[in-house]
Amino acid sequence: MWFFARDPVRDFPFELIPEPPEGGLPGPWALHRGRKKATGSPVSIFVYDVKPGAEEQTQVAKAAFKRFKTLRHPNILAYIDGLETEKCLHVVTEAVTPLGIYLKARVEAGGLKELEISWGLHQIKALSFLVNDCSLIHNNVCMAAVFVDRAGEWKLGGLDYMYSAQGNGGGPPRKGIPELEQYDPPELADSSGRVVREKWSADMWRLGCLIWEVFNGPLPRAAALRNPGKIPKTLVPHYCELVGANPKVRPNPARFLQNCRAPGGFMSNRFVETNLFLEEIQIKEPAEKQKFFQELSKSLDAFPEDFCRHKVLPQLLTAFEFGNAGAVVLTPLFKVGKFLSAEEYQQKIIPVVVKMFSSTDRAMRIRLLQQMEQFIQYLDEPTVNTQIFPHVVHGFLDTNPAIREQTVKSMLLLAPKLNEANLNVELMKHFARLQAKDEQGPIRCNTTVCLGKIGSYLSASTRHRVLTSAFSRATRDPFAPSRVAGVLGFAATHNLYSMNDCAQKILPVLCGLTVDPEKSVRDQAFKAIRSFLSKLESVSEDPTQLEEVEKDVHAASSPGMGGAAASWAGWAVTGVSSLTSKLIRSHPTTAPTETNIPQRPTPEVPAPAPTPVPATPTTSGHWETQEEDKDTAEDSSTADRWDDEDWGSLEQEAESVLAQQDDWSTGGQVSRASQVSNSDHKSSKSPESDWSSWEAEGSWEQGWQEPSSQEPPPDGTRLASEYNWGGPESSDKGDPFATLSARPSTQPRPDSWGEDNWEGLETDSRQVKAELARKKREERRREMEAKRAERKVAKGPMKLGARKLD
């Protein structure tokens, strides 16, 4: 029944890859690359083919097969499976490469670092395990007996000629291979037995030979050991102990490692310490793990790439999943992620990142937002919209200003991957609330900046409804950098507005800013006005350009349309965030507010509809921000040449705003000077100290109030129409702009976010509704009183006794 016999090699769950053996290992074994049939995972397979007349080699191979199955140690080649038949022996181990081939490949790639060699030699501590714990003599320590796994870990193999140190199984087996016998110590040639030696003496001599070969190449003869060659000076004293002529003084493997790890020793470095900690991380205290992961990211740049990918990364993932390491693992995790391919990143990092976004730990949330740039390219749109964005938007409502700010900044990266509903509806609602009601001026400014940068991703209807209103609102913000950001937002998204909007909605707003109290705002407003006027004039001269100029107005959302917006304010987010961070450090418990910075200079002579203006804080402090000058960019075919305009830096503008609060009009100087003196604001205050004083002077809501009705001017007030603006008297009157009011009520002004069918954002607030209801009740009460008074006058006084007299 021979045809029922089964081939054990064919049924073996591992198969050889049809390639020639790796290297020519001296000894009975041939090393092949293989894989597991079920999963395809790579393995190494040591194969010995039984040959007639080679009974001694067969016995050596079978002894090694037995040792592989029974010896388990992290630094000994890991046994997975085996096959023993009459024709062959197969030993399956973890995927490894012979040390000689590994060193040659690393030299060709740029050389092997001493850090790697120090840890590799430290892993030969497997000799200490064999000698001291198992009383076994390896008897074959050499370059051919050491292998390297994919993480760069050195593994001890070559167990063919191992024997017991207690003499139970006889003496050492005969090798009969000259390539291996050249590593035998000189005392083995003395057959008299007079030489006194320790049980580890021969293996330590062979370890000295291995060290020499690692640094200097193949050992030509035993006499070459006298010259250390390229062996590092910190290792030379310990090396000399290993290859000493007296076997009695050769150190025990454990003492050799201890000596090398002494302060200043060859193995006393951060790489060895990191590896030793990772080997014992399961028994470390939580505080020790936290400190280790905090310091790990600083050292990863100097560590080998394979070590980071295959040893550090699994430990980081395990620490997050089961060790409650928290946000401290994020920085080293993303650093290691740079070494992964896109496929590996999707498999190993992304599931962890998605799980982290659902965490309620604030430290983890802000770390994720700060480092989103490192992993955003690996996230697909469904994952962003369904698993990440719903958690990220909670940051808009957080009470911590730093989290709100980082959430706004993260939208620059998430916006290209958001769907229609999340981008054009949900995100715009949060942006409207932040821009209108957030108590932090830098956050409102960053919201305007972010909106300008993601404007090209919005749908055409949303752009038409939101951009003009949002930037117009920013120009009325009491925080001066926000007003600058609103002007720059108009300029950066100029290609998204029709000519009618430019003339009827945008230019009136910009013209109003030409009399802003802050010179930085006025300068940017004049630049923007000139550019918009140039654009309108070019279309007026050549109407055929209209279609080309407005080609992006009704176009679908496209990243290409945001060329100018993509570069106009990258610095603004970074610059203003530094102020917010400084603010949080200075005032961690209270939420500061800004003062009501006046929108226009206060006139000396009251206008027909005067508006009371709060004081403007004066400070000489400077913003601690990085300076970057970025100009807006657009297609060279555009007739208005926006590239020629220098839009300046918001950081520089903010610095000048906070450092120079002098009014450009004489009347404004007098008015603000008196108000500042009454409020005890001095120019020597730092920006941090001004936040609390701003809160005392006015609130955010007060700065946005508009005059409800026109009041008659006081007696003796001259109207603007009575002045002789062009006559000879004008030269004696000073600057005519000093007498302008804040803004005529008849001047057209673009609606806010809450109008133009955008009621759902924030304008229908409870305060507005309550104010309207109060006004209606007041008007009704006045009407009732007037009617009662009319009835009393019509009837006249009652005459007592008149009816009796009749």
Side-chain angles (χ1 to χ4, degrees):
M1 302 297 291
W2 59 270
F3 52 86
F4 287 107
R6 304 180 63 180
D7 185 0
V9 176
R10 182 179 300 175
D11 296 336
F12 195 52
F14 299 89
E15 61 180 358
L16 301 176
I17 295 178
E19 293 179 358
E22 290 191 85
L25 297 180
W29 299 97
L31 176 59
H32 294 263
R33 295 173 58 193
R35 57 174 170 259
K36 190 173 183 178
K37 294 179 180 178
T39 62
S41 56
V43 294
S44 290
I45 302 178
F46 292 83
V47 179
Y48 171 72
D49 294 324
V50 179
K51 299 177 181 178
E55 287 78 9
E56 186 176 358
Q57 290 290 335
T58 302
Q59 293 301 321
V60 169
K62 289 184 178 181
F65 184 85
K66 180 181 178 181
R67 296 292 187 188
F68 270 120
K69 290 197 297 185
T70 55
L71 285 175
R72 297 286 183 174
H73 189 269
N75 301 119
I76 294 179
L77 203 57
Y79 173 85
I80 298 178
D81 201 350
L83 173 67
E84 182 177 1
T85 67
E86 297 178 355
K87 296 181 179 180
C88 66
L89 293 175
H90 286 189
V91 176
V92 181
T93 67
E94 57 185 318
V96 291
T97 303
L99 178 60
I101 298 177
Y102 177 80
L103 293 178
K104 184 178 179 180
R106 292 304 303 269
V107 169
E108 293 176 353
L112 195 66
K113 298 180 181 179
E114 287 190 6
L115 288 178
E116 299 178 65
I117 298 177
S118 66
W119 175 241
L121 294 176
H122 188 281
Q123 290 176 299
I124 308 303
K125 62 185 177 183
L127 286 177
S128 176
F129 167 73
L130 293 175
V131 172
N132 299 319
D133 298 336
C134 303
S135 295
L136 293 174
I137 306 301
H138 188 276
N139 196 33
N140 191 28
V141 178
C142 62
M143 186 77 73
V146 181
F147 302 87
V148 183
D149 66 5
R150 61 179 185 173
E153 304 274 293
W154 291 17
K155 305 284 185 173
L156 184 62
L159 309 181
D160 309 331
Y161 306 101
M162 186 178 292
Y163 65 97
S164 173
Q166 300 174 351
N168 298 336
R174 190 179 69 88
K175 299 177 182 178
I177 302 176
E179 292 88 345
L180 300 178
E181 290 179 347
Q182 69 171 340
Y183 299 107
D184 291 341
E187 63 267 17
L188 292 184
D190 185 4
S191 57
S192 62
R194 300 176 182 176
V195 180
V196 180
R197 57 179 182 268
E198 301 290 348
K199 58 183 179 180
W200 58 77
S201 297
D203 278 347
M204 298 309 290
W205 169 277
R206 297 184 180 99
L207 178 60
C209 297
L210 173 64
I211 293 176
W212 194 95
E213 287 191 323
V214 167
F215 289 100
N216 300 296
L219 181 65
R221 54 189 180 278
L225 296 174
R226 299 176 182 176
N227 182 15
K230 300 179 181 179
I231 297 177
K233 293 182 180 180
T234 54
L235 184 59
V236 168
H238 310 296
Y239 160 78
C240 293
E241 291 180 352
L242 298 179
V243 295
N246 185 359
K248 184 68 177 177
V249 299
R250 294 172 194 160
N252 185 285
R255 188 167 70 86
F256 169 75
L257 295 177
Q258 184 179 0
N259 294 339
C260 290
R261 290 206 61 213
F266 179 68
M267 298 181 185
S268 177
N269 55 63
R270 177 64 179 167
F271 188 55
V272 173
E273 294 173 359
T274 299
N275 277 280
L276 293 176
F277 189 95
L278 289 175
E279 289 183 351
E280 303 173 352
I281 194 172
Q282 303 300 333
I283 60 175
K284 297 292 184 180
E285 295 293 331
E288 294 178 306
K289 295 180 183 179
Q290 290 281 332
K291 182 179 178 181
F292 171 76
F293 287 124
Q294 287 175 351
E295 299 175 352
L296 178 61
S297 59
K298 304 176 183 177
S299 307
L300 287 177
D301 294 333
F303 290 172
E305 179 180 332
D306 291 337
F307 167 78
C308 295
R309 292 173 56 194
H310 301 295
K311 188 167 184 178
V312 175
L313 179 59
Q315 293 292 347
L316 292 173
L317 298 178
T318 302
F320 173 75
E321 290 285 346
F322 308 107
N324 298 323
V328 72
V329 304
L330 287 178
T331 301
L333 180 66
F334 292 136
K335 264 197 172 183
V336 175
K338 297 178 181 179
F339 302 127
L340 303 179
S341 63
E343 183 179 357
E344 290 177 317
Y345 206 102
Q346 287 285 348
Q347 294 176 353
K348 298 179 180 180
I349 305 293
I350 293 302
V352 177
V353 170
V354 172
K355 185 176 180 180
M356 287 178 177
F357 270 107
S358 61
S359 172
T360 57
D361 183 8
R362 279 182 168 177
M364 179 174 294
R365 287 164 55 192
I366 198 167
R367 289 277 185 88
L368 282 171
L369 296 174
Q370 289 172 342
Q371 304 184 47
M372 184 177 292
E373 189 174 0
Q374 301 186 29
F375 58 84
I376 186 64
Q377 65 269 27
Y378 301 105
L379 297 174
D380 53 21
E381 294 185 8
T383 301
V384 170
N385 285 281
T386 59
Q387 301 183 54
I388 292 182
F389 183 76
H391 297 294
V392 172
V393 293
H394 293 161
F396 290 122
L397 306 174
D398 201 284
T399 57
N400 190 332
I403 294 182
R404 296 201 304 274
E405 182 188 33
Q406 290 297 331
T407 304
V408 171
K409 293 165 63 176
S410 68
M411 292 302 108
L412 299 178
L413 302 172
L414 290 177
K417 297 179 181 290
L418 295 180
N419 56 28
E420 180 78 12
N422 286 336
L423 178 62
N424 294 285
V425 179
E426 187 69 20
L427 181 59
M428 291 301 102
K429 290 181 180 179
H430 290 287
F431 270 21
R433 187 188 56 80
L434 287 176
Q435 195 192 42
K437 294 186 176 182
D438 197 278
E439 59 197 11
Q440 301 289 343
I443 295 180
R444 297 197 303 272
C445 179
N446 277 340
T447 302
T448 303
V449 168
C450 185
L451 182 62
K453 298 192 72 171
I454 69 174
S456 59
Y457 298 104
L458 302 176
S459 64
S461 59
T462 304
R463 292 198 303 265
H464 177 74
R465 211 165 48 237
V466 170
L467 293 184
T468 305
S469 300
F471 296 143
S472 298
R473 167 179 282 180
T475 61
R476 303 193 300 274
D477 196 300
F479 191 58
S482 293
R483 301 202 295 276
V484 176
V487 176
L488 296 178
F490 276 130
T493 56
H494 66 93
N495 59 314
L496 304 179
Y497 308 114
S498 65
M499 293 297 98
N500 289 335
D501 287 345
C502 292
Q504 300 175 10
K505 294 183 179 181
I506 298 176
L507 279 176
V509 174
L510 296 177
C511 289
L513 294 175
T514 57
V515 290
D516 191 273
E518 306 302 338
K519 188 176 185 303
S520 59
V521 180
R522 298 196 300 270
D523 291 343
Q524 295 300 330
F526 281 121
K527 290 180 181 180
I529 289 172
R530 285 193 293 268
S531 297
F532 274 105
L533 288 177
S534 175
K535 185 175 183 179
L536 291 170
E537 186 177 1
S538 63
V539 175
S540 176
E541 295 293 336
D542 185 6
T544 59
Q545 296 183 8
L546 180 62
E547 183 178 356
E548 176 66 20
V549 171
E550 294 186 350
K551 64 179 181 180
D552 294 335
V553 175
H554 301 290
S557 58
S558 171
M561 297 190 306
S567 61
W568 70 279
W571 36 262
V573 174
T574 304
V576 181
S577 65
S578 65
L579 177 62
T580 303
S581 302
K582 181 171 62 177
L583 171 66
I584 295 170
R585 291 195 298 271
S586 303
H587 305 278
T589 57
T590 60
T593 58
E594 302 81 11
T595 186
N596 268 329
I597 296 179
Q599 300 179 19
R600 306 289 180 268
T602 305
E604 290 181 354
V605 182
T611 303
V613 182
T616 302
T618 303
T619 177
S620 59
H622 293 274
W623 285 46
E624 298 177 359
T625 54
Q626 302 175 355
E627 293 190 6
E628 292 184 36
D629 293 332
K630 293 191 177 182
D631 300 332
T632 56
E634 198 194 17
D635 195 343
S636 59
S637 61
T638 306
D640 49 67
R641 302 298 299 170
W642 291 78
D643 290 337
D644 297 337
E645 293 291 341
D646 180 15
W647 296 106
S649 171
L650 182 55
E651 296 173 357
Q652 296 174 354
E653 304 297 346
E655 184 175 350
S656 63
V657 166
L658 295 179
Q660 306 176 22
Q661 292 291 337
D662 56 328
D663 195 357
W664 61 288
S665 63
T666 305
Q669 287 179 347
V670 176
S671 175
R672 281 210 313 277
S674 61
Q675 292 172 2
V676 171
S677 61
N678 294 335
S679 304
D680 294 333
H681 287 287
K682 298 182 180 180
S683 59
S684 60
K685 288 187 178 181
S686 63
E688 290 89 343
S689 63
D690 283 336
W691 291 102
S692 57
S693 62
W694 290 8
E695 184 177 5
E697 290 191 11
S699 64
W700 164 255
E701 290 80 3
Q702 292 174 350
W704 283 56
Q705 290 177 353
E706 298 288 345
S708 58
S709 62
Q710 296 287 345
E711 297 180 4
D715 296 337
T717 300
R718 296 178 62 188
L719 300 179
S721 59
E722 299 176 8
Y723 282 88
N724 182 13
W725 296 100
E729 298 179 1
S730 60
S731 59
D732 300 329
K733 298 294 184 178
D735 189 354
F737 286 100
T739 60
L740 292 181
S741 61
R743 175 178 291 182
S745 59
T746 58
Q747 179 180 348
R749 177 174 59 86
D751 295 334
S752 64
W753 290 61
E755 300 178 11
D756 196 10
N757 295 329
W758 199 248
E759 295 84 2
L761 298 182
E762 286 297 333
T763 56
D764 291 338
S765 61
R766 295 180 179 178
Q767 293 83 353
V768 174
K769 292 182 178 180
E771 182 67 18
L772 293 176
R774 187 189 64 79
K775 290 182 179 181
K776 290 181 179 179
R777 289 195 301 269
E778 186 67 22
E779 293 176 358
R780 181 61 177 170
R781 185 182 63 80
R782 291 176 181 176
E783 292 178 359
M784 295 289 292
E785 291 178 355
K787 289 181 179 180
R788 293 194 191 99
E790 291 177 359
R791 286 197 296 269
K792 290 180 180 179
V793 173
K795 293 180 180 180
M798 180 178 291
K799 297 180 181 180
L800 296 177
R803 185 170 299 177
K804 292 183 178 180
L805 294 175
D806 293 340

